[in-house]
Amino acid sequence: MIKITTTAESVEQAKALLEAGTDNLYIGEAEFGLRLPTALSYEEIREVTALAHEAGKTVTVAVNALMHVDMMAKIKPFLDFLQEIRVDKIAVGDAGVIFVLQRDKYDLPFVYDASTMVTSSRQVNFWAGQGAIEAVLARELPKAELEAMTGNLEVPGEILVYGATVIHQSKRPLIQNYYNFIKTKETGKDRARNLFVSEPKKKDTHYSIFEDNHGTHIFANDDLNMMSELSNLVKMGFDHWKLDGIYTRGDVFVEVTKRFIEAKKCIEAGKFTADKAFQLEEEVRKLHPAGRTLSHGFYDFDPDEIK
């Protein structure tokens, strides 16, 4: 059965996504969660979790930050809170957090999420052996490498089918360092500033970049739209889809989600034709934010071309 996970930027959007038919909401707060559309308060996390459970759906909370010693010293109260409100899963990429989960016997199932690092079934299966119930696959995997994973994963692998793809994170304040270097009075560094960087001599590149309390985050040239490949992904066994609304906000993201939910229903009913896929893909393109391009990302690449 196909499962759809969507980010949720607010309690109101979470309600709309649940009504639309999303299966799992992905949320988090500012200190321990990375690259969220909006950092929610503890009370908002509590409310969204309750709403999802009332609807018979689930919640994953992001605890996927790169943990330093000072953060690890504060992690237990947050884990205690998540256990108290009975979140269904947490997304974790730091071995220190996994150690705490196991040492203190938390009842918090975890999804292994090390972002760009999860590239093989061997790695996924290692963390499955450490207790992971699922893994977030790297967004840069081409089709050939996904096919190589087919049948070899001991736990499900989540795959991004819509949204921005992070390709680099640095704990350094790279934007602020740049501002200091050019001696500007500019202060805007967050996602709302819509900054981007280009490669030298490649004016068509447009890598979104922002800076927050976790450092600097850089995203791929194109956002993902895998609508035309959904049937192939399901055939390969990748039936847990993620939709990320970090750059597609509000009601528009809900409308995009509805198109993928329609595709899910068509596939499960055996009615997802090429014409239907094209129709839904075009609808997603029209909804997608102006100025942001869409593609299959690394999916169509020859693995030997990726360095």
Side-chain angles (χ1 to χ4, degrees):
M1 186 174 73
I2 299 166
K3 181 171 74 171
I4 294 179
T5 287
T6 57
T7 56
E9 66 183 48
S10 65
V11 173
E12 291 71 24
Q13 191 190 58
K15 291 177 182 177
L17 289 165
L18 291 168
E19 290 172 2
T22 192
D23 301 297
N24 182 60
L25 295 173
Y26 184 90
I27 57 175
E29 49 71 80
E31 188 165 18
F32 301 110
L34 293 179
R35 293 177 291 276
L36 298 157
T38 305
L40 303 184
S41 69
Y42 279 35
E43 284 310 304
E44 288 172 324
I45 292 173
R46 184 191 298 273
E47 187 172 354
V48 169
T49 301
L51 286 169
H53 291 170
E54 288 170 10
K57 306 297 185 180
T58 57
V59 169
T60 301
V61 174
V63 193
N64 58 341
L66 306 175
M67 302 291 175
H68 283 201
V69 174
D70 59 331
M71 295 173 67
M72 286 301 299
K74 297 181 284 186
I75 192 69
K76 277 184 62 64
F78 185 53
L79 296 177
D80 292 342
F81 166 71
L82 297 180
Q83 183 166 265
E84 174 207 332
I85 65 173
R86 304 184 71 81
V87 301
D88 301 278
K89 293 173 288 186
I90 61 174
V92 178
D94 193 287
V97 179
I98 297 171
F99 172 76
V100 172
L101 290 172
Q102 295 174 339
R103 180 195 66 191
D104 298 340
K105 297 181 172 55
Y106 278 97
D107 183 19
L108 286 170
F110 75 91
V111 177
Y112 184 64
D113 178 11
S115 190
T116 59
M117 307 301 292
V118 186
T119 58
S120 71
S121 56
R122 183 178 179 183
Q123 185 183 20
V124 170
N125 294 340
F126 172 83
W127 288 105
Q130 306 306 308
I133 63 168
E134 199 167 1
V136 176
L137 302 181
R139 309 318 191 185
E140 299 92 339
L141 291 173
K143 182 178 181 180
E145 293 189 4
L146 289 170
E147 288 175 330
M149 289 187 182
T150 301
N152 294 323
L153 297 181
E154 295 176 5
V155 293
E158 175 198 283
I159 190 162
L160 187 70
V161 296
Y162 174 81
T165 303
V166 66
I167 56 174
H168 180 73
Q169 178 187 352
S170 171
K171 290 290 285 186
R172 297 180 178 89
L174 300 182
I175 298 176
Q176 185 59 57
N177 290 346
Y178 174 71
Y179 287 167
N180 294 343
F181 178 74
I182 64 173
K183 296 181 173 60
T184 181
K185 294 181 180 179
E186 173 67 62
T187 58
K189 298 177 289 184
D190 63 8
R191 188 179 60 250
R193 183 67 177 77
N194 284 326
L195 297 170
F196 69 91
V197 293
S198 294
E199 292 187 46
K201 300 180 181 179
K202 291 185 178 180
K203 294 182 179 180
D204 58 334
T205 54
H206 193 287
Y207 303 114
S208 295
I209 182 172
F210 69 85
E211 186 182 309
D212 62 14
N213 58 307
H214 295 285
T216 308
H217 312 266
I218 303 174
F219 293 79
N221 207 39
D222 297 328
D223 295 343
L224 279 181
N225 178 12
M226 299 299 294
M227 182 68 75
S228 64
E229 291 295 322
L230 294 180
S231 291
N232 288 329
L233 291 174
V234 171
K235 288 176 183 176
M236 285 188 280
F238 300 109
D239 53 10
H240 182 181
W241 306 340
K242 170 79 174 291
L243 282 73
D244 194 318
I246 189 169
Y247 282 105
T248 307
R249 310 304 298 275
D251 293 340
V252 174
F253 182 63
V254 177
E255 290 302 315
V256 169
T257 298
K258 288 179 180 178
R259 272 59 181 185
F260 281 89
I261 290 170
E262 185 175 351
K264 167 188 170 178
K265 291 177 179 177
C266 287
I267 290 173
E268 291 178 338
K271 298 179 180 179
F272 194 59
T273 63
D275 286 344
K276 187 65 176 178
F278 178 79
Q279 172 206 326
L280 293 174
E281 183 172 56
E282 288 304 300
E283 290 178 12
V284 169
R285 288 185 178 278
K286 290 176 182 177
L287 288 163
H288 194 64
R292 300 194 65 83
T293 53
L294 287 167
S295 75
H296 288 167
F298 289 80
Y299 182 80
D300 297 321
F301 284 21
D302 183 325
D304 294 332
E305 296 178 5
I306 300 175
K307 299 179 182 179

